[in-house]
Amino acid sequence: MPTRQERADAVRNRAAILAAAADLFDRADATTVSVQEIARSAGVSKAAVFRHFGDRSGLIQHILEPRAAALRDAVTDGPPPLGPGAPPAAALTAYLDALLDFVYRNRVLIRAFEYLGPDAYYTNAASRFWIAELGRRLAAVDPHRDADYLAHAVFTALRADVLDYLHTVPGMTRPRIRTGLHTLATGAPPPDDRTPRRRARRTSAD
Amino acid sequence: MPTRQERADAVRNRAAILAAAADLFDRADATTVSVQEIARSAGVSKAAVFRHFGDRSGLIQHILEPRAAALRDAVTDGPPPLGPGAPPAAALTAYLDALLDFVYRNRVLIRAFEYLGPDAYYTNAASRFWIAELGRRLAAVDPHRDADYLAHAVFTALRADVLDYLHTVPGMTRPRIRTGLHTLATGAPPPDDRTPRRRARRTSAD
DNA sequence: CTAGGATACGAACCGACGGTTCGGATAGCA
DNA sequence: TGCTATCCGAACCGTCGGTTCGTATCCTAG
């Protein structure tokens, strides 16, 4: 029994919801966007949103997934150093840079996801993949450290809310965060680091 | 004009609310405890809770503050190595241990606080104090690293939700987290570390 | 082209949330 | 004892994520 073709209005509405949601999530503070708003912005009833995506979490995942797929492909099948085959140190550097970039570009959406529930950020399939891969690359660089713990710690430092906070409140620039992140993961700045060396940097007198 | 003495029932109710809230928060998942529940458990109306503490955030802070005060005093005025006067490495080790212990003991309450809002965890006065002190001790140990960034990263690794997750999902023990945390902060395990050395530790086959 | 059954639609509804309003009870003070 | 500032709880508010259900729409078989 062949499944009936999907109704045209259903296809249209789902696309409209996705577009409206992506737009609203990317624009505003993620936690303040209600499903009601998204539905209204898409010209659709709230029930339609829940029918298509199950719940708020499903909607967010549907927007985030295609964006994450590109990075995942580059990591598993792309050319080195991000893809497989590069020497461990270069592989780790490229991976950290790619993750930082990805989280930063999608930070509002990821924050919405983090905010879903206590462990939502860590226990979803995508994050588990990133963490496992991070652990592998860390272990390849230095098998003496506890790569599993370190992977979780570094991944935590990559949380969207953390990056957002570091950027807006203490005003840390992205290169500085990048340097700090690499230092955290490897004990040394990345090879091409351009941030000035500093001794006993003092907190700015604010 | 001398202020009238506070009404006895007001004093009684405030104490009852604090006790009930502390109990509920310590017991259950922090994010699921509603003000309604607290009020009912204290034998008081919901309005009474808001009258005494302003809002949910105020209530949580009122419970957390006295617990934090003890640690803060030990850090600023207590005997070394937690208090001032110890050599930098010992001061940092003691501080990390004290923070880890404090967060772990009060993790449910702190999670409730973290959950209040996006930057609530970092921007409140107490956290700013812990982060600044952490930065100072980190800088004293190694002035070459970016102590300000590192302080934020280590403090993030000390978030209650992170510790809770590490403990319950990947099943990391507290000594292991402690070792990882010290390694993160200093590049080496704490001097009295007892966790077995491991090379290329593999993720358990789950 | 049309009839009919599947399917998606939105309006109305649900319980619970944090927070507010307000008239009435009550405790402190003279 | 009586006045009054204070504190009380019941009822209410708008909004949230999520569900129910009668109806309108769309695909498809004849």
Side-chain angles (χ1 to χ4, degrees):
Chain A
M1 56 177 291
T3 39
R4 233 190 214 239
Q5 176 160 335
E6 195 178 19
R7 278 174 57 161
D9 52 349
V11 175
R12 199 182 333 123
N13 281 347
R14 188 168 55 245
I17 293 167
L18 277 174
D23 189 54
L24 286 177
F25 275 130
D26 280 346
R27 181 186 328 280
D29 173 16
T31 66
T32 70
V33 179
S34 70
V35 176
Q36 186 82 267
E37 272 180 276
I38 294 168
R40 183 156 22 89
S41 168
V44 154
S45 79
K46 190 172 56 157
V49 177
F50 286 102
R51 194 175 323 114
H52 282 290
F53 301 101
D55 58 7
R56 184 186 169 85
S57 143
L59 174 57
I60 296 175
Q61 289 198 63
H62 268 85
I63 307 174
L64 213 41
E65 214 290 325
R67 307 191 188 187
L71 178 56
R72 195 171 50 236
D73 289 350
V75 165
T76 57
D77 295 319
L82 187 52
L92 178 59
T93 300
Y95 187 66
L96 287 176
D97 283 344
L99 270 187
L100 176 60
D101 199 59
F102 174 74
V103 174
Y104 201 81
R105 269 203 318 252
N106 301 107
R107 62 186 182 279
V108 184
L109 205 46
I110 296 178
R111 287 192 70 158
F113 193 82
E114 292 171 353
Y115 210 73
L116 283 178
D119 297 335
Y121 181 57
Y122 296 100
T123 58
N124 73 87
S127 289
R128 298 195 68 87
F129 171 81
W130 303 126
I131 294 172
E133 180 66 26
L134 181 53
R136 258 173 259 132
R137 303 202 181 201
L138 284 166
V141 166
D142 180 359
H144 290 276
R145 298 177 82 179
D146 185 344
D148 208 22
Y149 173 81
L150 191 57
H152 280 93
V154 171
F155 194 70
T156 296
L158 276 166
R159 284 175 66 141
D161 59 347
V162 174
L163 294 185
D164 235 8
Y165 162 74
L166 289 178
H167 185 255
T168 57
V169 181
M172 294 193 187
T173 64
R174 196 121 85 88
R176 182 174 172 197
I177 292 174
R178 175 176 179 258
T179 302
L181 195 67
H182 281 84
T183 309
L184 201 65
T186 66
D192 60 344
D193 184 41
R194 297 237 180 288
T195 57
R197 288 284 77 73
R198 33 176 114 68
R199 346 182 91 246
R201 112 182 294 281
R202 40 194 307 178
T203 53
S204 64
D206 50 346
Chain B
M1 58 179 290
T3 39
R4 233 188 214 239
Q5 175 161 335
E6 194 178 18
R7 282 175 54 161
D9 52 351
V11 175
R12 200 182 333 120
N13 281 348
R14 190 169 52 245
I17 293 168
L18 277 175
D23 189 54
L24 285 178
F25 275 131
D26 280 345
R27 179 186 332 277
D29 173 15
T31 67
T32 70
V33 179
S34 70
V35 177
Q36 186 82 267
E37 273 180 276
I38 294 168
R40 181 156 25 87
S41 168
V44 153
S45 80
K46 189 171 57 154
V49 178
F50 286 102
R51 193 176 324 112
H52 281 292
F53 301 102
D55 58 9
R56 186 184 167 86
S57 144
L59 174 58
I60 296 175
Q61 289 198 62
H62 267 85
I63 306 173
L64 213 39
E65 216 290 324
R67 306 192 189 186
L71 178 56
R72 197 173 47 237
D73 289 351
V75 166
T76 57
D77 295 321
L82 188 53
L92 178 58
T93 298
Y95 187 66
L96 287 177
D97 283 345
L99 270 186
L100 176 60
D101 198 61
F102 174 74
V103 174
Y104 201 80
R105 270 204 317 253
N106 301 109
R107 62 186 182 280
V108 186
L109 204 49
I110 294 178
R111 286 191 71 157
F113 194 81
E114 292 170 353
Y115 209 73
L116 283 177
D119 297 334
Y121 181 57
Y122 296 99
T123 57
N124 74 85
S127 289
R128 299 196 66 88
F129 171 81
W130 302 126
I131 295 172
E133 180 67 25
L134 181 53
R136 256 173 260 131
R137 301 201 182 201
L138 283 166
V141 166
D142 179 359
H144 289 276
R145 298 176 83 180
D146 185 343
D148 207 21
Y149 173 83
L150 191 57
H152 281 92
V154 171
F155 194 69
T156 297
L158 277 166
R159 284 174 67 140
D161 58 347
V162 174
L163 295 184
D164 234 9
Y165 161 75
L166 289 178
H167 185 256
T168 57
V169 181
M172 295 193 188
T173 64
R174 198 121 83 88
R176 184 173 170 198
I177 292 175
R178 174 175 180 260
T179 302
L181 194 68
H182 282 84
T183 309
L184 202 65
T186 66
D192 59 344
D193 185 40
R194 296 238 180 286
T195 56
R197 286 287 75 77
R198 33 176 114 70
R199 346 184 88 248
R201 109 183 297 278
R202 39 193 308 178
T203 53
S204 64
D206 50 346

